Amino acid sequence: MTTWLTSLHIAAVGGVGYRMIATVVGLAVIGLSVTGVMVWSRKRSPRGVTKPTVGSR
């Protein structure tokens, strides 16, 4: 069982189609991770954030 899981993990089974799908899914995970960090960092940055002034309407 361990050999099969290892082969699946390194994309040694399934042929070219499986390798292409595994590559696309891997790149999607990387892309979502990078964009998630970018959105998170932009939300945390103080630029463009204005505090409401007291008494102004």
Side-chain angles (χ1 to χ4, degrees):
M1 172 123 178
T2 306
T3 305
W4 181 79
L5 287 174
T6 303
S7 298
L8 186 64
H9 182 74
I10 63 171
V13 295
V16 177
Y18 176 75
R19 287 183 183 181
M20 289 173 53
I21 290 172
T23 301
V24 169
V25 169
L27 291 173
V29 168
I30 292 170
L32 288 171
S33 299
V34 169
T35 56
V37 170
M38 289 171 57
V39 168
W40 173 79
S41 68
R42 286 182 184 165
K43 283 187 173 184
R44 287 187 46 95
S45 69
R47 290 182 292 166
V49 176
T50 58
K51 294 182 180 178
T53 56
V54 178
S56 64
R57 290 186 178 198

